[in-house]
Amino acid sequence: MSSPLFVAEVSSNHHRDLERCFRFIDTAAAVGCGAVKFQLFRVEELFAPEVLAKSHVLRARKAWELPVEFLSPLAERCRKQGIQFSCTPFYLQAVEELLPYVDFYKIASYELLWNDLLRACAATGKPVVLSTGMATLDEIGGAVETLRTAGCKDLTLLHCVSGYPAPPKECNLAAIETIRSRFGCPVGWSDHSVSPAVIQRAVHYWKASAVEFHLDLEGEGEEFATGHCWLPDGIKAVITDVSIALSADGTGEKVPTPVELPDREWRADPSDGLRPFLHVRNEWNG
């Protein structure tokens, strides 16, 4: 099994600060990620007006919006760091705004039923990653059909539990195989558990092809207090452990490994059961 693609989700932790965004990209690369993901939304196009009118909390999320003018420098920074740049569009125009910059589109669980957005992303011809939190298999099936019919040829689904955080006992990682078997495409894990054990299980047992996780730099991001964001040292240890564990699989061929070769001559000789082999003892006596 090849190593999964680790994707650092910046979400709303960027503080609308370009230098802080650069630090997220640099940190994602440093901890071993292959991609970083931002979100492009406009509060007025994310929530219905009657809801915004009654919720100061939702209106305050205006301060979480990523400026469109950040997209080009963010994509360039990712290229310099050798990792992929992705972003989630939350309004239709965002698909076009992202087109020159993203390596793949990420569609959030909350937008899984919005066929117009699915079609717009698929029509670009770029890879699409779709999270499936809260969805039934039939709902996922409808989204997959919409994407494929609209031209998506490179689709990855992410099993996701849209709890912030998600208790490990509710992560239902076995659904990774259920989704993979049903739709015949790569399936990864979108993590909200902040549990090393959950990610290890998703990768090593359920063969998750990708792992997306929410990242904060130092615990000062807007979403950190909710409890679903990883800090750099924690996720770096997980990614390192995954890499080490996968490297331990080997080829499966049962032959002496290089580290064993020096001791092969020091096994018990078949003639008398003593170590090392007789010819080695003879050399010692010679």
Side-chain angles (χ1 to χ4, degrees), residues 3 32 75 97 102 106 150 157 166 169 185 189 197 202-204 214 259 266:
S3 183
E97 291 168 345
V102 295
K106 163 65 192 300
L157 299 174
K169 288 185 178 180
C185 63
W189 166 242
V203 172
H204 296 305
H214 288 248
V259 74
W266 282 80

Side-chain angles (χ1 to χ4, degrees), residues 70-272:
F70 282 15
L71 296 177
S72 179
L74 294 182
E76 177 61 24
R77 187 67 162 230
C78 286
R79 284 192 291 271
K80 288 181 178 179
Q81 287 288 3
I83 64 175
Q84 296 184 73
F85 175 60
S86 181
C87 193
T88 299
F90 286 94
Y91 56 96
L92 290 177
Q93 183 63 27
V95 178
E96 183 177 342
E97 291 168 345
L98 291 171
L99 182 58
Y101 307 111
V102 295
D103 294 294
F104 62 91
Y105 287 96
K106 163 65 192 300
I107 300 174
S109 297
Y110 286 80
E111 277 61 49
L112 181 142
L113 302 176
W114 190 10
N115 288 338
D116 287 345
L117 183 68
L118 301 181
R119 293 189 190 100
C121 290
T124 67
K126 293 202 171 189
V128 175
V129 176
L130 172 65
S131 276
T132 61
M134 303 172 286
T136 65
L137 269 182
D138 287 344
E139 290 171 338
I140 299 169
V144 169
E145 181 178 3
T146 297
L147 286 164
R148 287 175 170 166
T149 301
C152 180
K153 300 186 183 305
D154 188 343
L155 174 63
T156 297
L157 299 174
L158 298 182
H159 172 47
C160 174
V161 174
S162 296
Y164 304 92
K169 288 185 178 180
E170 294 187 28
C171 286
N172 189 27
L173 293 178
I176 293 173
E177 181 56 35
T178 301
I179 296 169
R180 183 188 293 119
S181 298
R182 176 74 172 266
F183 302 111
C185 63
V187 180
W189 166 242
S190 179
D191 184 69
H192 299 137
S193 72
V194 198
S195 167
V198 169
I199 290 181
Q200 296 281 3
R201 184 72 170 173
V203 172
H204 296 305
Y205 190 81
W206 296 108
K207 311 302 181 187
S209 64
V211 176
E212 180 186 86
F213 64 93
H214 288 248
L215 178 67
D216 195 19
L217 296 175
E218 70 299 84
E220 297 180 5
E222 294 288 349
E223 296 190 356
F224 183 78
T226 307
H228 64 280
C229 297
W230 288 82
L231 291 176
D233 286 349
I235 195 64
K236 181 178 182 179
V238 173
I239 295 173
T240 300
D241 283 350
V242 165
S243 179
I244 292 172
L246 290 174
S247 74
D249 284 345
T251 65
E253 182 183 7
K254 180 54 183 170
V255 294
T257 66
V259 74
E260 292 179 301
L261 294 179
D263 275 354
R264 277 178 55 80
E265 301 294 278
W266 282 80
R267 291 177 294 169
D269 193 280
S271 67
D272 60 11

